[in-house]
Amino acid sequence: MGIYAIRRSLYIIPTVVGVAFIVYCIMSLTPGDPGRLLLGLSADQSAVDAMNEELGYNRPFFIRFFDYLANLAQGDLGVSYRTRTSFTGDLFSRLPVTLTLGLWALAVSTIIGVLIGVLAAVKQGSALDVQSTVTALLFASVPTFFVGLLLIYVFAVTLHWLPASGVSSPAGYILPVLTLTAGTVAVVMRFARTTMLDAIRQDYVRTARAKGASEARTILKHTLKNALIPIITLVGVSFGAVVGGSVIVENIFNLPGVGNYLLVAIRAKDMPIVLSCTVVLAVFFCIVMLLVDILHAVVDPRVRQRYQNRRQA
């Protein structure tokens, strides 16, 4: 497993470089330049050109990208065009907010989604199954920003129970976490229900019941363990959706996280910050997927056996 983990870790490098290049191309092809955005529409063109020259924005397309990669390999994540501050310093002050928000949203959506999905599958056709299905479809179809604005109106503006913005206290995370959880929990619940129904219909479950195993033992020991394997993969993929959603949620609730920082950098065409935010988020996503693959191999003996057979071949 150690060699497998090392080999999988090496895949992170080309993945991150590919993601950075795609973002770099998109940012380069969009109209505008940082000099004009920084100095304003009324600034002289000569001053704008001088600013772009000072920032290095006038250099050739590929030279700028390869220079960024060379600096990245040395641990230099660049300096903001806009604030002239190091990205590393800004990252360490903002990353805890994004990680707290993302991990809480992922944990809450996974626990609630799997629990309700399993109960809906076990009680297929019951009122619980119907209500959970309708609720999941409702949450999955409502845009994230609308859920956030609705929660602010109800719990912050009308009831005055929770703050509408900022994270000066732990209560500030509740509404953003609920907003991020709403869409993800619906997906996890529907997927958990489907995989549980597939597992319940397998022959080994019928055999366990025919041998006299109790319903609780059949569900917990024979069904749930096998149903959890694809759910683990889904949870890893959901982390990407949570990270993407955090950009919107941090903006709605004015949270000082990486997502909000990235959005401001995109508006200002602050290329070093956009690329570095993308690289950091891509690395986190790759690490989560690596952990999912390792956990998948730990839970499913067939995956371990395939890897051992590949090594012996």
Side-chain angles (χ1 to χ4, degrees), residues 98 101 144-145 180 240-255 257-267 277-278 281:
T98 300
L101 175 63
T144 301
F145 72 90
L180 265 180
V242 169
V243 170
S246 67
V247 176
I248 300 173
V249 172
E250 287 179 8
N251 191 47
I252 293 174
F253 291 94
N254 194 26
L255 303 184
V258 177
N260 202 358
Y261 189 44
L262 173 61
L263 201 59
V264 173
I266 292 174
R267 290 170 180 163
C277 284
T278 304
L281 295 178

Side-chain angles (χ1 to χ4, degrees), residues 23-41:
V23 173
Y24 175 75
C25 291
I26 294 173
M27 290 294 295
S28 299
L29 293 174
T30 54
D33 54 72
R36 176 62 65 186
L37 292 171
L38 289 173
L39 298 178
L41 297 175

Side-chain angles (χ1 to χ4, degrees), residues 5 22 66 102 123 136 154-155 185 271 293 300 309:
I22 292 172
F66 286 121
K123 303 291 184 183
V154 175
F155 294 101
V185 73
M271 188 75 80
D293 287 346
D300 191 349
N309 293 339

